[in-house]
Amino acid sequence: MSDQLRPRASLRTAVVWEVLKDALDRTSKAAGRDALDVLDTGGGTGNFAVPAARLGHHVTVVDPSPNALFALERRAAEAGVADRVRGVQGDILGLFDVVERGGFDAVLCHGVLEYVDDPAEGVRNAVAALRPSGALSLLAAGLGGAVLARALAGHFTEARQALTDPAGRWGEGDPVPRRFTAEQLAELVSGAGLEVGAVHGVRVFADLVPGVLVDTEPGAVDALLKLEAAVAELPAFHSVATQLHVLGEKRP
């Protein structure tokens, strides 16, 4: 796909999708089934649910927004996977009001922990929804990325505020209620009884590079995607990533 046709959104999702796709393949082999039952908490309009359904998996999306679920339904229909995607209104803290415990081979929890009152309970619920040998894909806002972004924008006091604030917020106008370090997310996953399989830094450079450069420089999108993939697993870059991805695996 050319740079002109490749959506800029791929810069935000490519690393996570590749890790998730590999995890689904491993889980499918371990379960002895081509089609897995996948739960996407906070899955919104289906950025990951629809591609997972295209692979043949059955995906349940739990999201509090009726508008997002309506868009999900339309998107799944346009992709020809409406029969494999189900939307349910709810949230991760009330997860078992709408889905069953232990009913899923994989659980996605992307962009959720930043907004819940009790992130540890959210992770415990996600883990409780897994079957034995299931996998958890956890994606949340990174502290270091926010500090770096504020500093590069010249907001040095806000950068220092984010660095010292218990929730990682840079001020009253900060739209993100909470941010995490890689160590904090790994502790949440291991504390809920999973083995931490891998940690990845996401959007290490993508949010810092001027959009005009990516959009106009030939080959820039592909080159930036390859750079993001190259640094994603390097711990040195986790501390400056906009988002952090942790893969947890449940052992029988």
Side-chain angles (χ1 to χ4, degrees):
M1 184 182 293
S2 70
D3 285 352
Q4 287 76 21
L5 296 177
R6 185 194 301 277
R8 285 289 303 276
S10 64
L11 290 169
R12 297 174 177 266
T13 61
V15 168
V16 177
W17 172 244
E18 289 303 316
V19 175
L20 177 61
K21 187 167 63 171
D22 288 345
L24 292 174
D25 287 343
R26 291 196 305 272
T27 304
S28 180
K29 290 175 183 177
R33 288 181 283 111
D34 291 334
L36 300 176
D37 295 311
V38 179
L39 173 65
D40 189 354
T41 64
T45 60
N47 286 339
F48 289 93
V50 169
R54 283 201 190 104
L55 295 178
H57 304 303
H58 301 281
V59 187
T60 298
V61 176
V62 175
D63 196 279
S65 168
N67 290 337
L69 293 174
F70 177 77
L72 167 71
E73 183 179 352
R74 184 175 61 225
R75 187 175 187 173
E78 291 172 353
V81 294
D83 59 327
R84 294 196 293 273
V85 177
R86 179 173 71 104
V88 182
Q89 189 171 359
D91 61 64
I92 197 164
L93 295 186
L95 188 61
F96 301 115
D97 294 334
V98 293
V99 301
E100 64 176 307
R101 291 178 182 270
F104 299 91
D105 301 293
V107 174
L108 283 56
C109 183
H110 295 173
V112 173
L113 296 188
E114 299 94 320
Y115 300 97
V116 299
D117 293 333
D118 189 342
E121 182 183 353
V123 175
R124 288 194 297 269
N125 282 354
V127 171
L130 285 172
R131 291 172 178 152
S133 301
L136 170 66
S137 175
L138 182 65
L139 181 70
L143 170 62
V147 174
L148 184 61
R150 301 316 288 172
L152 290 178
H155 303 300
F156 307 120
T157 300
E158 290 180 352
R160 186 170 181 274
Q161 171 69 17
L163 189 62
T164 57
D165 184 75
R169 304 186 76 235
W170 48 256
E172 291 297 322
D174 192 337
V176 179
R178 186 182 291 104
R179 295 184 177 88
F180 302 87
T181 64
E183 292 76 16
Q184 288 171 332
L185 288 177
E187 286 175 7
L188 286 173
V189 171
S190 60
L194 296 189
E195 292 186 13
V196 177
V199 179
H200 294 85
V202 180
R203 290 158 58 189
V204 175
F205 304 108
D207 292 349
L208 302 176
V209 177
V212 63
L213 173 63
V214 177
D215 291 336
T216 60
E217 190 72 19
V221 171
D222 280 329
L224 183 52
L225 279 168
K226 291 175 181 176
L227 178 60
E228 289 279 354
V231 303
E233 290 191 60
L234 300 178
F237 291 91
H238 295 168
S239 59
V240 294
T242 298
Q243 292 180 310
L244 294 163
H245 181 254
V246 177
L247 185 68
E249 296 176 310
K250 190 173 186 178
R251 299 304 182 190

